[in-house]
Amino acid sequence: KKIVKQTHFLLDISSGISAKLNKQGKIKNPQLAELIKKTAEVSEITDGLYDITVEPILKIWGFSPVSKGKRIPSEKEIKKALKKVGWNKIKIEDDLIFTDNCEVNFGSCGKGFLEEKLKKFFAEKKVSFALVDAGGDVLCFGRKKWKIGIRDPFSKGIFGVIEVQDRSVATSGGYENYFEFKGKKYSHIFNPKTGYPVETDKIQVTVISQSTLFADIFVCIKVGNYLTYCSLSNSYICGNLLGSNIWMLGNNTQHMRMLGKKSPICHDIKN
């Protein structure tokens, strides 16, 4: 409980340490500095498709914890918000963080960061095995093999089960956190370069990684040019990105159920 509370206070942009960073523009904190450095690695290799400074965009669309309600902002508002976005504007000197008028949001990596800390705690306490479910982000720690169900985004059930050991599994999609206007859905996953929600045929993404942090991060990214197709598993796999294997599931039920049966590490739910 102590680790959870400390992490929440660190990353909370409503009233925590990160809120002070957004308000003051600078703060000294070793943990936060280390996390920002790690997110910068992903920002660099994805050419800015991942960006923790997207908070001004999330705020005007209503997807920030400090927003008052979801809405479609004007083009003028979006252009103004984009001027405050840019992961490479943040500078760190001896754990002193300078945001240069940017605002951070750790919603895309907070659960993974928490599970990294829990993973370290388990190792220090010599815990044999443990399972942590942070809601879409699952940490499978230790020697035991775990079977993790992958949700079917078209129903309340699951379409397949993966078996993992000492790995993290993160699953996400735009089908839960969104709003609808005039028949069009606007999800919480944004392109930080355009200021608009991403448009993709990937209904759901599942990431398996040794790093809970990178699993959490990569599951939020529309991978674009990093995407390759693996015919054996009938899934899209983005390999060699900081140790994470990324599965991009298709946009129809048949394709997704085939993945559940044919993937070498994804078993049919009946098994």
Side-chain angles (χ1 to χ4, degrees), residues 1 83 199 203 221 235 262:
K1 289 185 179 180
K83 291 180 180 179
E199 295 187 4
I203 299 298
I221 301 174
S235 64
K262 292 189 176 183

Side-chain angles (χ1 to χ4, degrees), residues 138-151:
V138 180
L139 167 62
C140 303
F141 176 84
R143 298 189 296 269
K144 183 175 180 178
K145 290 185 177 180
W146 299 88
K147 289 186 177 181
I148 308 298
I150 304 299
R151 176 181 173 179

Side-chain angles (χ1 to χ4, degrees), residues 103-141:
E103 294 181 49
V104 296
N105 183 303
F106 297 102
S108 59
C109 63
K111 293 178 182 178
F113 179 67
L114 169 62
E115 289 184 345
E116 286 284 346
K117 298 181 73 172
L118 291 174
K119 187 177 179 179
K120 183 179 180 180
F121 173 79
F122 294 150
E124 291 175 347
K125 298 298 181 180
K126 301 186 186 305
V127 175
S128 298
F129 57 85
L131 181 72
V132 179
D133 183 357
D137 294 64
V138 180
L139 167 62
C140 303
F141 176 84

Side-chain angles (χ1 to χ4, degrees), residues 29-256:
N29 187 285
Q31 290 190 68
L32 205 57
E34 183 61 27
L35 175 58
I36 292 174
K37 288 177 183 178
K38 289 182 177 179
T39 63
E41 292 182 51
V42 183
S43 296
E44 185 173 6
I45 66 173
T46 59
D47 193 27
L49 284 177
Y50 179 76
D51 194 330
I52 60 169
T53 67
V54 75
E55 168 62 10
I57 298 297
L58 299 178
K59 192 185 298 183
I60 61 174
W61 281 85
F63 287 101
S64 168
V66 299
S67 298
K68 295 182 179 180
K70 294 181 174 62
R71 66 184 182 89
I72 299 178
S74 67
E75 186 68 26
K76 184 179 180 179
E77 288 177 293
I78 294 174
K79 288 182 178 180
K80 183 179 179 180
L82 283 173
K83 291 180 180 179
K84 300 175 69 176
V85 175
W87 65 273
N88 51 4
K89 294 179 181 180
I90 298 180
K91 306 300 179 184
I92 300 175
E93 299 176 7
D94 296 325
D95 297 329
L96 184 59
I97 308 164
F98 300 89
T99 61
D100 190 22
N101 203 36
C102 292
E103 294 181 49
V104 296
N105 183 303
F106 297 102
S108 59
C109 63
K111 293 178 182 178
F113 179 67
L114 169 62
E115 289 184 345
E116 286 284 346
K117 298 181 73 172
L118 291 174
K119 187 177 179 179
K120 183 179 180 180
F121 173 79
F122 294 150
E124 291 175 347
K125 298 298 181 180
K126 301 186 186 305
V127 175
S128 298
F129 57 85
L131 181 72
V132 179
D133 183 357
D137 294 64
V138 180
L139 167 62
C140 303
F141 176 84
R143 298 189 296 269
K144 183 175 180 178
K145 290 185 177 180
W146 299 88
K147 289 186 177 181
I148 308 298
I150 304 299
R151 176 181 173 179
D152 186 338
F154 300 102
S155 71
K156 294 183 178 180
I158 57 177
F159 73 90
V161 177
I162 58 174
E163 187 175 80
V164 294
Q165 179 180 352
D166 205 26
R167 292 288 188 276
S168 294
V169 181
T171 298
S172 184
Y175 52 86
E176 284 191 327
N177 190 5
Y178 68 91
F179 70 91
E180 193 168 342
F181 182 73
K182 293 184 177 181
K184 183 176 181 178
K185 292 183 178 180
Y186 298 87
S187 80
H188 68 295
I189 303 175
F190 280 77
N191 184 330
K193 295 184 178 184
T194 67
Y196 285 87
V198 296
E199 295 187 4
T200 175
D201 64 347
K202 310 304 181 298
I203 299 298
Q204 181 170 284
V205 179
T206 294
V207 177
I208 302 173
S209 175
Q210 290 181 317
S211 167
T212 58
L213 177 62
F214 290 138
D216 194 13
I217 289 175
F218 284 132
V219 82
C220 300
I221 301 174
K222 180 184 177 184
V223 182
N225 292 333
Y226 298 97
L227 197 63
T228 58
Y229 183 71
C230 176
S231 58
L232 173 64
S233 62
N234 208 17
S235 64
Y236 290 96
I237 297 180
C238 177
N240 300 319
L241 284 186
L242 302 178
S244 293
N245 292 322
I246 300 182
W247 294 4
M248 306 290 275
L249 308 186
N251 63 344
N252 60 74
T253 306
Q254 182 180 4
H255 184 154
M256 299 179 78

